[in-house]
Amino acid sequence: MSDEECDYMSDDFLAKLTQESENRPGLKRSYASTREHEKWKKKESILEEQRLNKKIKKSIKEIEEDKRDQGLQTSIDSSNKGFAMLAKMGYKPGTSLGKDNSGRTEPVPITVKAGRGGLGRDEAMKKLKERKQRILEERARKLVADFNPNAFRAQMREKHMMKRLESDLWKAQKSCRQLDLGKEYSEPMEFWFWPREKEKKLEDDFEELIEEEEEIIYSVEEQLVMVVEYLRTEHLYCIFCAIKLYLSLP
């Protein structure tokens, strides 16, 4: 490599690239523009500091609460005329009032009314809240006392069995409808042999769902037994085996 050519791995080559990159767009090229930018940055920093250190003005209500709390926390001293009269009669700070020192040691506390409700409303609301809490506690204690683990397990078992029976009945009704339609039966033998569907009608441009409720006097288990028996005798089909026989066996 000749001496006139610059090595691109040397420091001189990198220094030249750095000097050239200083004149890229976006940087301040003149002294005046740089000065204006510095002044603007300083002004922004001063404004930000003022915003952070700005004292928030309190409302009249907050000022009154602060003064009242400060006054209640400050004990009465000898500059008070009432305190001076008590001191002349032998009263000492921290002792109780009365001939036998059986009176109060602290002034009567005050309760500041914050809301705009009538007199006695706060007390009534407090009593109502306590009454509701007692009712809930009494109800919870009664539930705990009357709890029977065996009855609870029996109830949960019965609930689980009912869900299973309803699922099996729906499967049987679905199979019955499919097999009946395969034999070109337009209607089921009983209306509850097929799954019940909702009929849609349009009235006055509004869509309404209408479901005709018919009373079923049989339980879910009884319905399942009759539908399964009908499938076996009429269609030679067992929903539990999912097998259909095409030839009746002797």
Side-chain angles (χ1 to χ4, degrees):
M1 180 182 294
S2 61
D3 297 337
E4 295 178 357
E5 296 180 358
C6 183
D7 186 6
Y8 66 90
M9 295 295 293
S10 63
D11 295 337
D12 296 338
F13 185 78
L14 295 176
K16 290 180 180 180
L17 291 178
T18 306
Q19 292 176 2
E20 293 176 358
S21 63
E22 291 296 333
N23 295 327
R24 65 181 183 272
L27 294 179
K28 306 301 177 182
R29 299 183 180 181
S30 62
Y31 175 78
S33 60
T34 305
R35 179 64 177 168
E36 289 294 332
H37 182 67
E38 293 294 336
K39 290 170 64 177
W40 176 80
K41 287 175 60 179
K42 186 175 181 180
K43 182 180 179 181
E44 288 294 325
S45 62
I46 293 174
L47 291 175
E48 183 65 22
E49 185 177 358
Q50 289 178 356
R51 282 194 292 266
L52 294 175
N53 297 332
K54 183 180 180 181
K55 295 182 179 180
I56 302 175
K57 294 183 179 180
K58 294 184 178 181
S59 61
I60 297 177
K61 183 179 179 180
E62 293 176 347
I63 295 174
E64 290 178 352
E65 290 179 356
D66 293 342
K67 289 185 177 181
R68 181 171 59 246
D69 295 339
Q70 184 179 0
L72 292 175
Q73 293 176 2
T74 304
S75 58
I76 300 175
D77 54 8
S78 58
S79 60
N80 185 274
K81 293 184 178 180
F83 183 85
M85 293 175 62
L86 290 174
K88 290 179 180 179
M89 290 185 289
Y91 172 75
K92 295 181 180 180
T95 58
S96 59
L97 299 177
K99 182 178 180 181
D100 301 331
N101 293 331
S102 59
R104 302 182 63 93
T105 57
E106 296 292 337
V108 178
I110 64 172
T111 302
V112 180
K113 193 175 183 303
R116 301 183 62 183
L119 296 175
R121 178 176 175 81
D122 295 339
E123 187 66 22
M125 294 293 292
K126 182 180 179 181
K127 290 183 178 179
L128 178 61
K129 185 177 180 181
E130 293 176 354
R131 178 64 178 172
K132 291 165 65 177
Q133 184 66 25
R134 286 197 299 269
I135 291 174
L136 293 177
E137 291 177 355
E138 183 66 23
R139 188 178 301 173
R141 285 195 294 267
K142 186 177 180 180
L143 288 175
V144 173
D146 298 342
F147 178 73
N148 187 354
N150 296 328
F152 176 76
R153 284 192 290 267
Q155 182 181 2
M156 294 302 296
R157 183 167 54 252
E158 183 179 357
K159 185 177 180 181
H160 175 71
M161 291 299 297
M162 181 58 64
K163 288 184 177 180
R164 185 173 179 180
L165 288 174
E166 291 176 353
S167 177
D168 291 342
L169 177 61
W170 182 81
K171 293 177 182 178
Q173 290 173 338
K174 187 177 179 182
S175 301
C176 182
R177 180 180 60 183
Q178 183 178 0
L179 294 172
D180 284 349
L181 293 176
K183 288 189 175 182
E184 298 182 355
Y185 294 162
S186 59
E187 294 181 358
M189 181 175 293
E190 295 288 342
F191 71 92
W192 42 268
F193 272 30
W194 290 7
R196 308 174 71 181
E197 295 181 350
K198 295 181 180 180
E199 181 183 1
K200 297 182 179 180
K201 293 184 180 180
L202 294 176
E203 295 180 1
D204 300 331
D205 297 334
F206 289 99
E207 185 176 2
E208 297 181 355
L209 279 176
I210 301 176
E211 182 178 4
E212 297 182 358
E213 294 291 342
E214 299 187 37
E215 184 179 0
I216 302 176
I217 61 176
Y218 305 105
S219 64
V220 176
E221 185 177 1
E222 293 170 346
Q223 295 178 51
L224 177 61
V225 171
M226 285 186 279
V227 174
V228 169
E229 185 178 357
Y230 171 77
L231 290 174
R232 288 177 176 174
T233 56
E234 178 67 21
H235 300 287
L236 304 178
Y237 178 77
C238 177
I239 63 170
F240 303 106
C241 303
I243 296 176
K244 175 177 174 57
L245 300 178
Y246 294 93
L247 293 176
S248 58
L249 299 179

